[in-house]
Amino acid sequence: MASYDFKKAEKKWQTIWEEEGTFNAKQDFSLPKFYCLVEFPYPSGQGLHVGHPRSYTALDVVARKKRLQGYNVLYPMGWDAFGLPTENFAIQNKIHPEKVTRDNIARFKEQLQSLGFSFDWSREVNTTDPSYYKWTQWIFLKLFEKGLAYKTEMAVNWCVSCKCVLANEEVVNGVCERCGSEVVRKVKSQWMLKITEYAQRLDDDLDELDFIERVKLQQHNWIGRSTGAEVDFATSTGDNIKVYTTRPDTLFGATYMVISPEHDLVKKWADIIENMDEVDAYVDAASRKSDFERAEVNKDKTGVKLQGVFAVNPVNNEEIPIFIADYVLVSYGTGAIMAVPGHDERDWEFAKKFELPIVEVVKGGDIEKEAYVDCDSGLMVNSGFLDGLNVEDAIKKMTEWLEEQGKGYAKVNFKLRDWVFSRQRYWGEPIPIVCCDKCGFVPLPESELPLTLPMVSSYEPTDDGESPLAKLTDWVNTSCPKCGGPAMRETDTMPQWAGSSWYFLRYCDPHNDEALASKEALEYWTPVDWYNGGMEHTTLHLLYSRFWHKFLYDIGVVPTPEPYAKRTSHGMILGENGEKMSKSRGNVVNPDEIVDEYGADTMRLYEVFIGDFEKAAPWNSSSIRGCKRFVDRVWALQDICLDGENYRPQLETDMHKTIKKVTLDIDALKGNTAIAAMMSLTNRFYEVGSVNKAEYRDFLLVLNPFAPHLTEEVWEKMAFGGKVSQQNWPQYYEEKCLEETIEIAVQVNGRVRSKLTVAADIESRDAIELAKADERVGQFTAGKEIIKELYIKGKLVNIVVK
RNA sequence: GCGGGUAUGGUGGAAUUGGCAGACACGUUGGAUUUAGGAUCCAAUGGCCGUGAGGCUAUGCAGGUUCAAGUCCUGUUACCCGCACCA
C-alpha cells in the first residue's frame, strides 16, 4: 500500500464537495434541523492564524456528526468586513477599502476551504455588501421609528488614534479596545440606541439559556442590576435632590449629601452658593480629568462643601450639608447620593477627611475604625421606627414608609448605558437619516434603501471629529423626504457591531430581497441551536445581538425572543512560548504551512486534540506529529483489513465503547478525549494484528467528522459503497459496552495490594471472599483484625484491618 | 477592592464526579530496520529506595472529613480573566 497522499486526496474531496454542494443546508423544512454557528471572522490583512480554526473545527465536527445523524444542518460562514483595520490599511497603502476587503475575503475563503470545513458556501454573507447592509439600515430605521434610536449631545469616549467615538463596551481600562490608545472625553452629538430599555429582559432571560456560566455571569455583571429606592431630599432652596440608594434602611445614618460636579443644581444654584468660586474651580478641574483619572480607585477623596445651602434628611428632618465630589458619577443613578459614612467605605473615607458626623445605624461593626458595610447579620439602631429590625426587613419597611409618605419609591437600577452608535469614519454603513431644518431627523423611506456608501478616493479621518463623509457636499446635501426642502444627510456611519448584530438571521435566507429573511425560513431555522465564539465578545457582539433580536421579536420580525439557544466559548491558541500569538511577538503560526506539511486532517485533529476546548492551549509543533502518525496508521489499516460483516468478539466491546465515547464527547465539546479513544482503538487493531470490514467501516464513520478527507478516501479505496457523507452515524448498544470480565483492585487499608480478574456481575460477597483468599492480600491481613470489608461494583474491594 | 477561574510527570493533557492518579499524545532513552538522514516498528519512561520481587512517595501549600480525596470541607499562596468610587 502506497503511503497516504494527503495533498491529492484533500484537493480531490474538496473539489467534489464544492461541486456537489454536499454540505449545503436543504430547503426541506420538514426535516429535523440543526443550526450550528461560529462567529464570522473579520477578514484582516494577515489572513487566518491557527487560532481561528479551533472553534471552526470543533463545530465542524458537530455539524458533520449531526448530518450523519440525519439532521438538516445549517453551518454557514460569512464576513464581518466593515471596520477600522481595513480602513487604516487602505489609507496607508492607498487602496480602496472595498478592494482591500475583497482581497482579504478571497484569501480567508481559500484558507478556510483548504481546511475542508463543511460550510454552506451558497449562503455566504458579507456585511459590506449593499444587499446585506440594506437590512442593517432597515433595522436601524425600525429602531428609530420605535424611539429606540435617538441623537443626543453627550460626553463620549473619544479614541485619539482612531479619531472616532467608542461605545462603553469598547473602552478597556481607559484605553481603546482596538488600538490601545488613550481615550478622552469629548462632548459630541451622537446617535444612541436604547439598549437600557431592554436591560431587565436581557438580564432576566439569561437564566433560561444554555450559555456557559462565565458568559452569563459576565453579562449579568455588565448589565449590573441592583435594587433599591429613589429618595427625595428637600433642600433649603426649595429644590429636591433625588438620590438612588440600595440601602434605604440606613437612611437615619445619612449625615450629608454629595452631588456630582456635573449635576444640574450646581449651575442652578450659582447665585445662591456662597463659595461659588471654589465650586467652579472644582467643577472645572473635574471636567478636565479623563474618565480614567477620575475612576482611579485609590486616590484621595476630594470635594467642596456648598456654602449657603443645605438639605433635609426626610426621616428625621435634620439639616445636613451638601457637597460636590467627583467620586459621585453623573452617569449612574441620579448623579447624587445620600452619604451614610457609618456603612459605606467611600462615604466613611470622605466623612473622616471632612470631619463629618458618622452615625451607627446597624449594630455589629466598629464604625470608629471602618465603615460597617456587610452588615446583613446586624440589627438596626438609632433608626426610629426601624430599631431592632434586621437589615432585610428594615429595607422593606423603609421603602414602604417612603412610598406612604410620598418621599420615595422602590427602584431598580442598571450599570448598562445606552449604546453609542455613530462613528466618524468612512468604512461603515451610512446611517439612513437626513436632517431637515423644518422636520428635524427624517428617516429615508424604505424604498431608498440601501443608502450606499459613496465611492470616494479620500476617506481619511478628520481631526475635528467630523466624519470624512461630511466633506462630500454633493452627497450630504439632499432634500427632505418629508417636506422636500433642503436637508443634510447624516454623515456618521454605524459601528462594526451593527452588521454582526443580525447576520445569523440572514443566513437563513441570504438572497431574499423582500425581507431580511422569509418568515418560513426564520420559523424553521431560529433560534441558533449552538453558537460558539470568543469571550471577548460577551459584552459586545453577544449582548448587542441579543438586544437587536429581542427588538425584532417585539416588532414581529423574528419568532423567538432569544437568538441563541446555546453558547460556548473556546480558549485561545497561544504561541509555542505560551504567550498570546501576535505578529509583534513573532510567534504566529500560519495554518497554510501546517496544511502544506501535514495536511488538513492532521491540522484539524491537532486543533481538537490540543486540549480542553474552553482553556487556552499553547501550540506545539512537535505534538502535531502524533496526529499525523495517527492519520497514517488509520490509512495503513487497509493493509491488514479482513473480510467480515460483523464485529469480531474480541473487538466488539472496544467498538461499542469507542462509538459511545465519540458520540457523547462530540456533543460535550470533548473532542480531545474522543480522538484519544479512537487512537486507542487503532492501537488495539494493530495489537490484534487486523481489522475487519465491519469494524473499519464504523471506525471511519466516527472518525469522519474529524478527518473528513482521509475517511472518504479510505472508504472509496475499500469500496465500502457510496460516500461517507451519505452514511448513517453508527449505533452503539449500552449493554455491549460492558466487558464480561473485569479487573478489580484489591485494597488493604486503601492501598492497592493485588488485582483480580472477575466476572463483571460478581456478587459483593463473592468478590470479598476471592479478595481475602488472595495470597498477596493475605500477607497484609495476616494476624490482623478485619474491621470492615467492602466491594465497589466494578471497581475494587477494600479490606480494612487493624 | 469585588466577582469568576486555574494549579496534576520534562511537555500538552486524561481521570465515567469520592473508588487502581498520569488515559491518549509529545519528548527523551535503549533496541530493530536503513549506506546515511528521515520515516517506521518494538521496549522503557512521575520521583525516591532496592540487584530483584517489591516498598515508599506523589495532583500549588497546610490542615480536616472518609474504609477511600486530584475530586468534598477549612485555611493559604501564585497566576489568569472580567468589573472597578455603580451609592
Side-chain angles (χ1 to χ4, degrees), chain A residues 1-17 64 601 631 634-636 638 696 700-701 703-704 707-725:
Chain A
M1 169 72 53
S3 64
Y4 177 46
D5 185 347
F6 63 81
K7 280 191 183 155
K8 207 168 136 198
E10 288 175 357
K11 187 82 210 125
K12 168 182 153 192
W13 288 102
Q14 284 164 17
T15 307
I16 291 173
W17 295 332
R64 285 174 177 273
D601 285 331
V631 164
V634 172
W635 174 260
Q638 290 176 83
Y696 205 9
L700 290 172
L701 288 175
L703 178 60
N704 172 263
H709 313 83
L710 167 74
T711 47
E712 288 286 10
E713 189 66 12
V714 174
W715 191 272
E716 189 181 80
K717 282 263 183 304
M718 292 297 297
F720 282 148
K723 300 193 180 95
V724 177
S725 56

Side-chain angles (χ1 to χ4, degrees), chain A residues 300-320:
Chain A
D300 260 359
K301 294 278 178 287
T302 59
V304 177
K305 184 175 174 184
L306 304 183
Q307 304 288 356
V309 292
F310 61 86
V312 178
N313 185 326
V315 289
N316 55 17
N317 295 318
E318 274 177 29
E319 293 179 5
I320 56 176

Side-chain angles (χ1 to χ4, degrees), chain A residues 4-34:
Chain A
Y4 177 46
D5 185 347
F6 63 81
K7 280 191 183 155
K8 207 168 136 198
E10 288 175 357
K11 187 82 210 125
K12 168 182 153 192
W13 288 102
Q14 284 164 17
T15 307
I16 291 173
W17 295 332
E18 196 179 348
E19 283 170 1
E20 275 189 350
T22 313
F23 305 117
N24 291 356
K26 300 186 184 77
Q27 275 305 318
D28 183 351
F29 289 174
S30 65
L31 297 167
K33 68 99 183 182
F34 193 83

